[in-house]
Amino acid sequence: VCPGNISQASLIVQMHSAHWHIHEIKIKLGILLQKPDSAGDLVIPYNEKPEKPAKTQKPSLDEALQWRDSLDKLLQNNYGLASFKSFLKSEFSEENLEFWIACEDYKKIKSPAKMAEKAKQIFEEFIQTEAPKEVNIDHFTKDITMKNLVEPSLSSFDMAQKRIHSLMEKDSLPRFVRSEFYQELIK
């Protein structure tokens, strides 16, 4: 093994470490910008109102309350989806939802040529290392997804989409339910 290979490997590890550090900073900054339970202690105000889709009716209280326990019900409701997206934007963490939506749109494509084009776009935007909106998936899932993209099919992103759905369900949904975006809906 020549010394050049060691320094190259070391550089790759350092770059990977720096990427994760930046991701952690984004998450922490998002948490700081979220309005705390006691509004008097607010240090960094965030005054954006939740996005309201133009032609979507506000959900009933019962509908909105169901979202606490079901990410799928939230994602199926246009008003809930828009509120969730606004919340994630306020935390600088909308890439997971954008990836999930892109995968849903991808599954509707019929043309193999358009499917290949869209697969490349999703990969470059969300999956590849240092992608502009890189989602946090493990190496195994990333590798499987890359292998699936050799011959794109409707299920090429299924494993990655399931991982991101699970992450949103365990992490983003509970924070959304505690946020003012959601609390305004159930008043």
Side-chain angles (χ1 to χ4, degrees), residues 24-160:
E24 288 174 21
I25 291 170
K26 274 177 54 175
I27 291 170
K28 289 175 182 172
L29 183 59
I31 291 168
L32 284 174
L33 291 174
Q34 186 178 348
K35 191 172 181 178
D37 292 336
S38 58
D41 296 344
L42 189 59
V43 176
I44 303 172
Y46 188 79
N47 298 322
E48 182 180 309
K49 295 289 181 200
E51 268 179 36
K52 293 183 183 173
K55 297 178 182 176
T56 307
Q57 191 174 5
K58 187 174 179 180
S60 69
L61 178 60
D62 285 342
E63 278 181 296
L65 288 173
Q66 289 177 16
W67 300 345
R68 292 184 301 193
D69 303 314
S70 175
L71 178 62
D72 290 325
K73 286 185 180 177
L74 170 67
L75 296 174
Q76 290 166 6
N77 181 289
N78 288 335
Y79 198 99
L81 183 63
S83 295
F84 190 50
K85 189 171 188 175
S86 291
F87 166 72
L88 293 174
K89 279 184 179 180
S90 78
E91 288 198 327
F92 305 101
S93 62
E94 68 269 21
E95 67 278 351
N96 288 340
L97 181 59
E98 289 178 6
F99 171 71
W100 184 88
I101 292 169
C103 291
E104 288 298 294
D105 291 343
Y106 174 80
K107 292 177 194 175
K108 297 172 188 167
I109 298 172
K110 304 284 187 237
S111 158
K114 287 183 180 178
M115 188 180 291
E117 185 181 318
K118 182 71 172 175
K120 182 178 186 286
Q121 177 193 349
I122 291 172
F123 176 78
E124 290 174 352
E125 189 171 357
F126 299 103
I127 303 290
Q128 77 181 7
T129 304
E130 301 298 323
K133 297 179 181 179
E134 185 176 2
V135 291
N136 185 4
I137 55 174
D138 57 272
H139 290 290
F140 176 75
T141 303
K142 187 180 277 194
D143 289 346
I144 295 290
T145 303
M146 287 169 39
K147 286 176 185 165
N148 290 345
L149 294 176
V150 173
E151 289 186 39
S153 72
L154 293 177
S155 61
S156 292
F157 294 102
D158 283 0
M159 181 183 273

